[in-house]
Each structure stands twice: as C-alpha cells, then as structure tokens.
C-alpha cells in the first residue's frame, strides 16, 4: 500500500490511479494525517502531492514532520518536493523564471527513480517556486532549463523529490518513474488486481451481511450494475434489486435490465412502474432545477415504498437490513477540502435521498475503494457485457433534461427514438466507446420544412458528442461528416415530428455537457 498525502493538487487522484496501474493499492489521505496513522495502516511508502500554495506562505498546508522518521520511502511531487526541502533544512524561494508546460529533464542515471530510463526525458512542469538550497544529506539528481534541483534525493533515507509532474500524460515516461518508486524503492508487490479485489470484496460482503438480506437500487448504469453482480456473487439470493421505471429512461432500458439481471444472472429483481406518477408531477414544469427536485423526490417515494414492501414481506431474524450503493472512490474524496477526512464523506447524490436514515438500513458499498476504470475491469471479470461496462454516462433525471421546456409523452417519444438512433449509429461506426457521451436533445422550437410535396412545421433535434476524462471539462468531437449525415437522415426519416437536426459545437466550459 502507498499512502498519498493530499495538498490540494488537481492531480492527486491521477497519482493514485497511476500507482494502482502499477498493481499496487494506493489511498489518498489528508495532509494532516499523523505519522502514527500511516504506520498503523501498514504503508510501504508515502507520496506527497502537489498543491497550489507556496511552502513559505502564511497558512500553507503542512505535514507531520514525523513521517520523515518512519523509515519509509517518501516521494515529493512539486509542492511535495518543496515541502521536503522546507521541512528538512533547505530553502525554497520564488523563481525568477517560472516553469509551466513542457520541459526537458536531464537525469542522474544512478538515481533509482530513473532505472532503465534515458538520461533525457520530456516532462510537464507547473511551478513558480524552486529550491535554492538543499537540506543536509540531499544531492541534485536531475535538472531542467531553469531548475538546477528538478530532482533531489537522499538515497540513504530513501527520500526523493520531483519538481515536475510524473503522473500526467504530458510526462510520457512518468508512469515508469512512479513504478520505479513503488516497486524498486518501496518494494511493493504487484498484488492489486481486480481478480484479487473481487475475492477480498466477496469475503468482506459475506462477513458484513451474514445471513441477512440486501436491497440495491439498480439503474442499469455501470456502477449499480457492477455492484449488483459483485454482491450477487458474494451472497446470491440474499440480494434483491429494485429498478424504478420513471418514464424518463432510454428506449428498451427496462427490458434490457430485466433480461440481463433477472434472465442471465438470475438476480432477484423487482421492477416498479412509476412512470405515470412521475409524468403527472412534471406536467407543465419547464425550469430545469424544479424538474430535478421533483424527480429526486418522486424517486425517493417510489424506492421507499418498494423497499418497505420488501422488508415487510420477510418475517423472522434475517430480513432486509442492508442497502447497497455503487459509491466509488472519487465520490468519497472529491468534495473534501484539504485537511478534511475523505473516508467520512459521500456525495449526497449517491446516498439515495437519505433512505438509510429513514429506514434504518446499514450501507454496503463494495466499490468505494475503486476508480471508474477499475469498476469497468471488475465488471468485465464478473462477466458483464461490454454494452453495460462501457456504457456512456446517463443523467440521473434521465431524458427529462434532454427535453428542453415542458415534458409530454409525445416529446419523450421523440427524444427517446432519436437517442436510440444515435446509440445505434455511433456503435455501428465504432465511435460509441471512443467518446465520453453522445446523445440527442429535443429543442423547444419548431421550424418550417418540406417533406415530399408537403410543408412541415416540426421539432429540431440537437446532437451532442463530447470527449472528456471525468466530465469536469469536455471538448466537442469532430465526428466524421458521413456519420453526421447518417444520423441526420435517419432521425428525420424515422422519428415522426422532427424535420431538422443540428450539431452542438460548444465545449465545457463555457457550455455544460447536458443542456439542462
């Protein structure tokens, strides 16, 4: 295990993922974590992340200096490296030549961080400070154009620092540098695999649940689908999934969920058809935020009632005492300010509207250690098809936020049929799994068209295709013209009520991915 202490870098999660790609488990902790806690966790090494502050500034994040006396290897990245120098007797000052972007690193080949790497490397810099005096015991092991101390190290104490960011893709050999740290310097084994994770997770689920039963809200998305398959492998028929059809789902979604989970995996599945009540509540509502609140409140009611019915259906000691959720590791840590407690927080939208408190469920969260790419790997190991584990993100409010303005059954039919064509054509052209999202939006306006010899006055569909790493930022995709032509032709010809298709070429920011 490698502990990563977070000093507020936008790349901290990337560091954790890169370490896991070395098949070594990593965990992000606040920079305030005490050395005694790191020892208790059994860590084999420590990475100090970057951060936006200057180590000499008032109120700059600090670290428990006792970590340097644990006898564990330490790697500081950018701010983390400067913090090492600052704490151990060196000097850090503002640089007269800041380094942002690509640079060339010349390295000391004797440094174990660069074993089997060339003497010159392309690296990515992002700093305005630099070390001007090294602590006792440290030597320079790498230089860049404006930094004589781009790499520093105390080989005897196994403490190293990198002024650049090895975790980002702009440092092409950065993954090998991190691999040298975790394997050669820390001595970590390659035992973090998704196969071993499944075995451990099943043991933990069985130990937690015992002979009791578990309810899981199944949406058909990646996270809940993988959680369902994993829990079912662990406890079989003790799991029951609830699928709420709110009338805002994709074409064929309900049937696909029933076929895969009830038919193929033989998982107990209860389908709640609540579409009429959702559409009744949404009638005449045009404000996007009101839509979301109505849908959230109605989902709680529908799920709440289904869960209560399940609980009431089982008499005796081993009833439904657990609620399973597809909480992921980024959900646990991403909304935590530096200095907080990542392990104690869960993003509210994953917490099914507060149901655990109301219904006295205990939570089962088997995926809370995993990043999204790891969840997909677990899904593949469990036998879930590519259509599930490779599925694009779908908004919680469903098609309600892809029908601009008021929602009617007719408008939902139009956007649902158009969306199905988008998925079909993107997959046929081998583009679906290459992009982050691709979907159709129904605009609240009509325009004049001509079909045959008749004048039409119908709706417009906007197509949205974006690429992204995490949904925080996104760029519109330069989809081939022939694919756009097929999408437009099929939608206009096959979806009654549409006579015009447009393509959204806005990136995020300033636009959002979804239109509402």
């Amino acid at each position: 295990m490698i502990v990563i202490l977070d000093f507020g870098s936008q790349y901290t999660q990337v560091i954790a993922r890169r370490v896991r790609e070395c098949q070594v488990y990593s965990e992000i902790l606040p920079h305030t974590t005490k050395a005694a806690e790191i020892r208790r966790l059994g860590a084999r090494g420590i990475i100090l992340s970057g951060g936006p502050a200057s180590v000499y500034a008032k109120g700059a994040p600090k670290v428990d200096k006792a970590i340097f006396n644990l006898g564990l290897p330490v790697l500081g990245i950018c701010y983390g490296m400067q913090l090492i120098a600052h704490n151990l007797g060196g000097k850090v000052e503002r640089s007269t030549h800041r380094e942002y972007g690509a640079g060339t690193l010349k390295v000391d080949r004797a440094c174990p961080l660069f074993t089997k790497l060339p003497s010159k490397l392309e690296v990515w810099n992002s700093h305005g400070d630099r070390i001007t005096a090294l602590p006792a015991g440290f030597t320079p092991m790498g230089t860049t154009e404006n930094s004589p101390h781009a790499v520093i190290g105390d080989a005897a104490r196994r403490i190293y620092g990198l002024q650049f960011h090895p975790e980002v893709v702009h440092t092409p050999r950065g993954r090998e540098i991190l691999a040298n740290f975790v394997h050669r310097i820390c001595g970590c084994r390659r035992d973090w695999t998704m196969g071993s994770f499944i075995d451990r997770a099943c043991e933990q689920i069985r130990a937690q649940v015992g002979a009791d039963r578990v309810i899981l809200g199944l949406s058909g998305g990646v996270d809940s689908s993988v959680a369902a398959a994993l829990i079912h492998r662990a406890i079989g028929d003790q799991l029951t999934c609830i699928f709420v059809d709110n009338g805002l789902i994709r074409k064929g979604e309900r049937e696909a969920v029933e076929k895969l989970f009830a038919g193929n995996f033989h998982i107990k599945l209860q389908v709640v058809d609540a579409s009429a009540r959702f559409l009744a509540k949404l009638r005449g509502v045009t404000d996007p935020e009101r839509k979301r609140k109505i849908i959230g409140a109605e989902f709680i009611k529908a799920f709440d009632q289904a869960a209560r019915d399940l609980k009431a259906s089982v008499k005796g000691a081993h009833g439904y005492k657990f609620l399973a959720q597809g909480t992921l590791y980024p959900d646990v840590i991403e909304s935590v300010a530096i200095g907080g407690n990542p392990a104690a927080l869960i993003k509210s939208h994953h917490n099914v509207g507060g149901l655990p408190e109301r219904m006295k469920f205990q939570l089962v969260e088997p995926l809370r250690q995993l990043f999204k790419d790891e969840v997909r790997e677990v899904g593949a190991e469990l036998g879930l098809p590519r259509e599930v584990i490779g599925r694009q993100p779908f908004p919680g409010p469903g098609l309600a936020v892809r029908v601009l303005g008021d929602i009617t059954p007719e408008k939902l039919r139009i956007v649902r049929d158009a969306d199905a064509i988008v998925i079909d054509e993107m997959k046929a052209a081998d583009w679906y799994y290459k992009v982050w999202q691709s979907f159709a939006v129904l605009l609240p306006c009509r325009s004049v068209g001509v079909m045959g010899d008749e004048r039409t006055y119908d709706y417009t569909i906007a197509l949205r295709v974006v690429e992204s790493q995490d949904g925080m930022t996104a760029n519109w995709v330069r989809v081939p013209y022939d694919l756009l032509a097929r999408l437009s032709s099929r939608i206009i010809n096959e979806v009654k009520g549409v006579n015009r298709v447009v393509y959204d070429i806005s990136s995020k920011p300033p636009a959002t991915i979804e239109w509402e």
Side-chain angles (χ1 to χ4, degrees):
M1 173 186 178
I2 297 294
V3 160
I4 300 160
L5 298 184
D6 180 22
F7 294 90
S9 171
Q10 61 181 316
Y11 302 129
T12 301
Q13 287 190 37
V14 182
I15 299 171
R17 290 173 65 180
R18 293 291 174 263
V19 172
R20 293 189 184 190
E21 287 168 4
C22 298
Q23 293 183 296
V24 174
Y25 179 62
S26 64
E27 193 164 311
I28 298 171
L29 298 176
H31 67 89
T32 51
T33 302
K34 298 297 183 184
E37 174 63 10
I38 295 173
R39 181 187 288 113
R40 186 192 69 79
L41 290 170
R44 298 293 297 270
I46 302 168
I47 297 178
L48 309 181
S49 83
S54 293
V55 293
Y56 49 77
K58 184 179 180 180
K62 296 179 173 58
V63 70
D64 181 3
K65 292 182 182 180
I67 70 166
F68 300 114
N69 299 321
L70 289 173
L72 296 175
V74 178
L75 176 65
I77 296 175
C78 200
Y79 181 90
M81 167 183 169
Q82 294 162 12
L83 196 64
I84 289 171
H86 184 71
N87 278 326
L88 298 182
K91 191 171 184 180
V92 179
E93 296 180 299
R94 180 158 294 282
S95 176
T96 54
H97 298 285
R98 297 185 299 173
E99 288 186 301
Y100 291 98
T104 301
L105 175 74
K106 297 179 181 179
V107 303
D108 179 351
R109 295 290 299 278
C111 177
L113 288 171
F114 303 103
T115 300
K116 296 185 178 180
L117 290 173
S119 58
K120 283 187 178 182
L121 296 168
E122 296 175 40
V123 297
W124 187 261
N125 296 299
S126 181
H127 60 93
D129 295 338
R130 69 174 181 171
I131 297 171
T132 55
L134 291 176
F138 281 79
T139 58
M141 295 179 167
T143 62
T144 57
E145 293 89 334
N146 296 311
S147 180
H149 300 135
V151 181
I152 62 171
D154 180 339
R157 298 173 66 184
R158 298 186 297 171
I159 301 175
Y160 299 90
L162 304 174
Q163 187 62 82
F164 60 94
H165 287 274
E167 70 274 22
V168 301
V169 295
H170 306 294
T171 301
R173 309 296 292 270
R175 187 178 303 180
E176 294 164 81
I177 296 171
L178 290 172
N180 281 331
F181 177 70
V182 300
H183 295 309
R184 294 181 178 275
I185 297 174
C186 298
C188 293
R189 295 188 303 272
R190 292 174 171 84
D191 57 5
W192 175 253
T193 66
M194 291 307 96
S196 66
F197 168 80
I198 290 170
D199 293 338
R200 288 194 297 268
C202 286
E203 290 176 9
Q204 291 166 356
I205 293 165
R206 293 184 196 111
Q208 180 185 6
V209 172
D212 294 319
R213 304 183 189 218
V214 180
I215 294 172
L216 183 144
L218 184 62
S219 69
V222 177
D223 304 341
S224 68
S225 296
V226 174
L230 178 59
I231 295 170
H232 185 256
R233 172 170 290 194
I235 60 172
D237 284 347
Q238 290 170 249
L239 170 70
T240 300
C241 294
I242 296 174
F243 179 83
V244 177
D245 182 352
N246 59 10
L248 306 168
I249 58 178
R250 288 172 165 171
K251 191 171 186 176
E253 178 101 33
R254 176 171 166 176
E255 295 78 10
V257 167
E258 288 179 312
K259 180 181 178 181
L260 177 62
F261 290 96
N264 292 1
F265 280 92
H266 306 293
I267 295 175
K268 289 182 180 177
L269 176 66
Q270 290 206 3
V271 176
V272 178
D273 188 348
S275 54
R277 61 191 280 186
F278 274 82
L279 296 185
K281 289 284 186 178
L282 289 166
R283 188 176 296 122
V285 177
T286 59
D287 179 71
E289 192 57 28
R290 276 198 64 205
K291 287 182 185 178
R292 291 177 182 271
K293 288 180 178 178
I294 290 169
I295 293 164
E298 284 305 306
F299 176 82
I300 291 172
K301 291 177 184 176
F303 189 92
D304 188 350
Q305 187 57 57
R308 287 178 185 275
D309 291 345
L310 268 180
K311 290 187 77 172
S313 69
V314 178
K315 307 299 181 184
H318 301 299
Y320 287 96
K321 297 180 182 178
F322 293 89
L323 176 71
Q325 296 185 162
T327 307
L328 306 191
Y329 196 42
D331 301 325
V332 177
I333 63 178
E334 74 176 0
S335 59
V336 182
I338 58 171
N341 179 9
L345 290 179
I346 302 171
K347 288 175 70 177
S348 61
H349 71 261
H350 279 271
N351 198 351
V352 195
L355 283 172
E357 292 84 356
R358 290 172 52 177
M359 301 185 65
K360 296 183 173 58
F361 277 121
Q362 297 176 59
L363 285 178
V364 177
E365 297 173 310
L367 307 179
R368 64 180 287 115
Q369 291 180 299
L370 303 185
F371 289 102
K372 191 77 167 190
D373 53 342
E374 293 174 315
V375 173
R376 296 186 195 277
E377 288 181 45
V378 169
E381 290 265 353
L382 292 169
L384 288 171
R386 189 185 189 194
E387 288 74 15
V388 173
I389 60 175
R391 187 181 182 189
Q392 295 175 1
F394 189 62
L399 297 178
V401 293
R402 294 180 180 172
V403 173
L404 274 57
D406 66 315
I407 296 170
T408 65
E410 175 65 5
K411 290 180 179 178
L412 285 170
R413 177 196 62 78
I414 291 173
V415 77
R416 186 175 285 118
D417 287 349
D419 177 78
I421 290 172
V422 172
I423 294 172
D424 185 43
E425 287 296 334
M426 290 292 286
K427 287 182 177 178
D430 198 27
W431 273 87
Y432 181 85
Y433 298 108
K434 295 178 182 178
V435 302
W436 177 260
Q437 273 178 277
S438 51
F439 56 90
V441 180
L442 179 62
L443 304 188
C445 57
R446 299 189 182 201
S447 64
V448 175
V450 177
M451 288 187 177
D453 294 324
E454 295 185 4
R455 174 185 181 276
T456 61
Y457 191 58
D458 286 330
Y459 287 107
T460 297
I461 286 288
L463 299 178
R464 182 80 159 134
V465 185
V466 296
E467 56 187 0
S468 176
Q469 293 297 314
D470 52 16
M472 301 302 291
T473 61
N475 293 317
W476 64 277
V477 176
R478 278 65 171 171
V479 177
Y481 284 167
D482 58 345
L483 175 54
L484 287 176
R486 287 197 302 274
L487 285 166
S488 176
S489 176
R490 281 197 61 189
I491 290 171
I492 291 173
N493 280 287
E494 297 176 29
V495 183
K496 185 180 179 182
V498 176
N499 66 358
R500 192 177 300 270
V501 173
V502 298
Y503 190 55
D504 183 349
I505 58 170
S506 312
S507 291
K508 176 185 181 181
T512 53
I513 294 178
E514 299 290 345
W515 279 47
E516 285 194 345

